[in-house]
Each structure stands twice: as structure tokens, then as C-alpha cells.
Amino acid sequence: MNLSFFSQNGYQVIPHFIKNETCSQLITRALQWVKSLPVDQVSIFSTENQTADSYFLESGRSIRLFFEEEAAKNPECLQVDKERMVNKIGHALHDLDPVFRSFSRSNSIKSLALQLGFQIPVPVQSMVILKQPWVGGEVRPHQDSSFLYTQPPSCIGLWWALQDATVDNGCLWVLEGSHKCAIHKRMRRTPDGKSIYFYEENPKDCDYTVLDNYKPIECEAGSLILLHGGWYLVFKYSVTRVTEYPIALWHFSCKNKSSQSRHAYSLHLLEGKDSVWSPDNWLQPSHLPFEPL
């Protein structure tokens, strides 16, 4: 791990962090969830037109399936090809599924978090993202702290390629150095806790809308990509520049336009010692408190 590169650019690729065997085990377990859960509610995942219902809001501390936008256009696909229509499984795999819990709380991940400067690393959200051939949808440019906000900011994203990730099948793209930009907006729960809305926190101080400025991060299966989600510790310990506002890296992924799937697993950590989870975040601990690594 190159902490200096991470501090300067807002991301870091660590090749071969996990073995191909582990990638296969995680994919197999994810597909078992897809096969076992009935299609009793079509909940569509979209980073551009996000809505909230009880199914989504309760997924923060449970395990739920979310379908491609294509499923809304052609609901009959769910009956004949459900496996190709699942986009995401989230958001408490790291707590509730024994396979993902064992992986997410391994000594190697805890050691990595401590190297990064966390004192009490706490996993708060996990997702399997299934980008199926031809139908795997895009994830629009975003900053992780828009959805997982603490005061002071302390989010970091860990993103594992469970299969080779390329430009053709929907690899991550990052706006290098944009972790020095303010958090543009936040997704908040309404006061009654039954819905969400977006609130603009800061004026746009970098042009995240120009996709040509982003850099593709192609990587082999087993690689880990660290994503700066608003992590003040990096600046506290490694960079002289001081900011007075939350900051986070802009990143996105394109639609899968190839015949090869691009499956991934992501885990988000926060600092449990001196940061406070926002009470208006969409994801709330409720009946299942956050558990440190």
C-alpha cells in the first residue's frame, strides 16, 4: 500500500489482495442469495433516480436484492431470467451472511484499516454489485460520503474486483485528485424516517460532470481499490493542506457493454473512536448496532 499516493490522488489499487479462489467463493455465495430469494417486490437500483421505500430503507441492516432498471421496463424478465436482472445485494452482508462476514472481518482487512490510520474501524455497509453481460447498469458519478456521512468525515471505500474489470465490462472510473473537493450533496432521511431527499451541502468546487476527465481503473480479479470517501485522517496525518469542509473522491462505472460479467464486492468503513454517525443518514443502525472489526 502506498499511503502517499492515496493521499495525493484519492484512490489506491492493491493488486492480488485476495486469491481467485476467494473471488469464486464470494461470487458463488452471492448467486446463492439470488437463487434463494423470491421475486416478491421489484426494487430498482439507480444512482440517478433514487427513491426510497421500506424495502430499501430496511436494507441497511438486512440483506435485500435490487434489480436492474431494465427489469422495470420488462418485468417479465424477472420470471424467466432473474439471475441476469439482479444488480445489487446489500447492505449488511458483512454482518449477517457467514461467508461475507468472515471475509469482511478477516485479519488482513483489519490490518489494512489500521495501516490507514483507523483506530476503531467500523464496517457500516457492504454490497455485491453484479454487472451482468450487456445489461449491467451504470453507476453515475458520486461521492461515498453523500450516503455515509460522519462528523468529522471518516468514510473509506474498499472495492474488490471479483472478476477482471475492464473498460468494456464496466470498471471503475475515478476523478483523480477530486477527494480534495467538497462533498457536493447528501442523501438524507426525512424527519419521519419514511423517505429520502437530496440536500446540496456545498457549491460545486470541481467539475465532476465532465466524464472525459475521469480515469479508468482496469484491474484483475482479486485486486482491491481504496476509495477516499471523505476520510479526514489522511489529511490529518499525511498532507499539509487543511480543509474546513468534508471532502470525497468522485467516481463512477459505466454500463457493461460486453459479453463478460463484472462482479465486485464493496465494503465501507468509518472511524468508531472520534466520529459521529449522522442521525439523518439513510442507513441507520436501528435493531442491529454497528460492530467494529
Side-chain angles (χ1 to χ4, degrees):
M1 178 180 61
N2 187 334
L3 186 57
S4 176
F5 182 93
F6 181 55
S7 301
Q8 182 64 31
N9 297 285
Y11 73 97
Q12 172 72 55
V13 182
I14 305 178
H16 312 300
F17 188 90
I18 57 177
K19 298 179 179 179
N20 287 339
E21 179 183 359
T22 303
C23 294
S24 297
Q25 290 172 345
L26 296 179
I27 291 174
T28 297
R29 182 56 180 161
L31 294 180
Q32 288 173 348
W33 274 102
V34 173
K35 292 177 181 179
S36 66
L37 292 182
V39 184
D40 56 1
Q41 180 174 355
V42 178
S43 188
I44 305 299
F45 173 77
S46 170
T47 55
E48 186 164 10
N49 300 306
Q50 290 188 333
T51 58
D53 52 19
S54 60
Y55 187 87
F56 171 79
L57 292 173
E58 293 168 6
S59 72
R61 305 307 289 145
S62 59
I63 300 175
R64 301 284 172 88
L65 269 66
F66 298 88
F67 297 97
E68 295 286 356
E69 291 185 273
E70 291 294 326
K73 301 174 184 176
N74 304 289
E76 65 276 5
C77 294
L78 293 175
Q79 304 302 326
V80 298
D81 206 5
K82 179 180 68 170
E83 293 180 32
R84 278 174 49 81
M85 286 291 102
V86 173
N87 168 283
K88 182 174 71 168
I89 307 172
H91 292 92
L93 290 160
H94 62 283
D95 279 327
L96 299 178
D97 180 87
V99 175
F100 283 96
R101 180 182 174 89
S102 177
F103 172 77
S104 304
R105 298 179 178 278
S106 65
N107 289 333
S108 60
I109 293 177
K110 183 174 182 179
S111 175
L112 173 68
L114 296 177
Q115 289 179 56
L116 286 167
F118 283 95
Q119 298 182 62
I120 303 178
V122 181
V124 295
Q125 175 181 274
S126 54
M127 300 177 288
V128 172
I129 303 99
L130 302 171
K131 271 192 187 290
Q132 300 289 1
W134 310 119
V135 299
E138 66 179 344
V139 177
R140 298 295 299 165
H142 66 281
Q143 299 166 294
D144 288 341
S145 276
S146 291
F147 311 96
L148 307 170
Y149 185 77
T150 65
Q151 186 59 252
S154 65
C155 178
I156 184 173
L158 283 65
W159 189 98
W160 285 272
L162 300 182
Q163 297 175 319
D164 293 348
T166 68
V167 169
D168 290 336
N169 71 1
C171 69
L172 287 183
W173 293 65
V174 301
L175 185 57
E176 199 169 68
S178 65
H179 62 304
K180 301 170 186 178
C181 298
I183 294 175
H184 179 53
K185 62 181 179 180
R186 285 185 54 213
M187 187 173 80
R188 293 175 160 181
R189 279 208 190 207
T190 55
D192 62 9
K194 296 181 179 180
S195 187
I196 59 170
Y197 68 100
F198 281 97
Y199 174 79
E200 187 168 310
E201 290 283 311
N202 295 286
K204 183 171 63 175
D205 64 349
C206 64
D207 195 350
Y208 62 89
T209 62
V210 182
L211 299 187
D212 288 343
N213 292 337
Y214 286 73
K215 175 182 178 179
I217 308 299
E218 296 186 301
C219 59
E220 295 181 353
S223 299
L224 167 63
I225 303 178
L226 302 175
L227 299 169
H228 188 305
W231 188 46
Y232 76 101
L233 293 177
V234 170
F235 288 87
K236 180 178 179 182
Y237 294 122
S238 306
V239 177
T240 56
R241 178 177 182 268
V242 177
T243 71
E244 297 180 353
Y245 49 79
I247 47 184
L249 180 79
W250 284 94
H251 56 286
F252 75 93
S253 65
C254 294
K255 182 176 180 178
N256 188 349
K257 299 179 180 179
S258 78
S259 60
Q260 302 297 316
S261 58
R262 191 237 68 185
H263 299 336
Y265 177 61
S266 71
L267 179 70
H268 290 91
L269 306 177
L270 61 81
E271 175 58 64
K273 182 178 180 181
D274 55 4
S275 65
V276 179
W277 184 253
S278 177
D280 62 6
N281 280 335
W282 80 267
L283 192 163
Q284 293 297 322
S286 61
H287 64 283
L288 184 64
F290 294 144
E291 179 184 346
L293 289 181

